[in-house]
């Protein structure tokens, strides 16, 4: 069982930056691939970024490549999402998720979810 708690969301102007954190409980954090998803009102939940267990392999959604960076600290049981050059279209609830499975793109692949944190980017 893994419990995930996100923090770091808020209101920021376009072009600004935020860093989200996701703290995980349990001693098996390093066994999971971690992902950040986002969901805007009326839209599907989409993968923003994911990072494999060791941190050596990352994946990004096309819309955030070059602007967002995912990282993890297995000693602190925490995964981060650094978001730069934010745009109004980045506005959404951001969720942290964990999976022990190989496929990492779809929400259905993830076994554990946080409660989400709101990110709002004003124009």
């Amino acid at each position: 069982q893994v419990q995930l708690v996100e923090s770091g969301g808020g209101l920021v102007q376009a072009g600004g930056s935020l860093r989200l954190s996701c703290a995980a409980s349990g001693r098996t954090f390093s066994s999971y691939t971690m992902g950040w998803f986002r969901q805007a009102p009326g839209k599907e939940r989409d993968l923003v970024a994911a990072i494999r267990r060791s941190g050596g392999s990352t994946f990004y959604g096309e819309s955030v490549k070059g602007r967002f960076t995912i990282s993890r600290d297995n000693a602190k049981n925490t995964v981060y999402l650094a978001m730069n050059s934010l745009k109004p279209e980045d506005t959404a609830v951001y969720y942290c998720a964990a999976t022990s499975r190989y496929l990492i793109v779809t929400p259905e692949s993830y076994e554990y979810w946080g409660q989400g944190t709101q990110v709002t980017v004003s124009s």
Side-chain angles (χ1 to χ4, degrees), residues 28-40:
T28 59
F29 175 75
S30 60
S31 300
Y32 293 91
T33 289
M34 300 300 297
W36 285 98
F37 285 78
R38 67 185 181 187
Q39 188 168 22

Side-chain angles (χ1 to χ4, degrees), residues 7-88:
S7 61
L11 174 64
V12 64
Q13 288 187 333
S17 300
L18 282 175
R19 189 176 83 152
L20 305 183
S21 300
C22 173
S25 65
R27 295 176 291 177
T28 59
F29 175 75
S30 60
S31 300
Y32 293 91
T33 289
M34 300 300 297
W36 285 98
F37 285 78
R38 67 185 181 187
Q39 188 168 22
K43 295 189 176 181
E44 296 184 346
R45 189 172 297 190
D46 292 326
L47 179 67
V48 175
I51 186 166
R52 294 290 188 187
R53 294 175 293 178
S54 67
S57 179
T58 57
F59 174 88
Y60 294 93
E62 285 297 323
S63 63
V64 306
K65 281 183 179 177
R67 300 188 298 122
F68 291 11
T69 302
I70 189 171
S71 61
R72 67 189 295 163
D73 186 337
N74 287 342
K76 294 183 177 180
N77 283 10
T78 302
V79 62
Y80 305 96
L81 184 68
M83 305 184 293
N84 297 313
S85 301
L86 283 161
K87 304 174 181 180

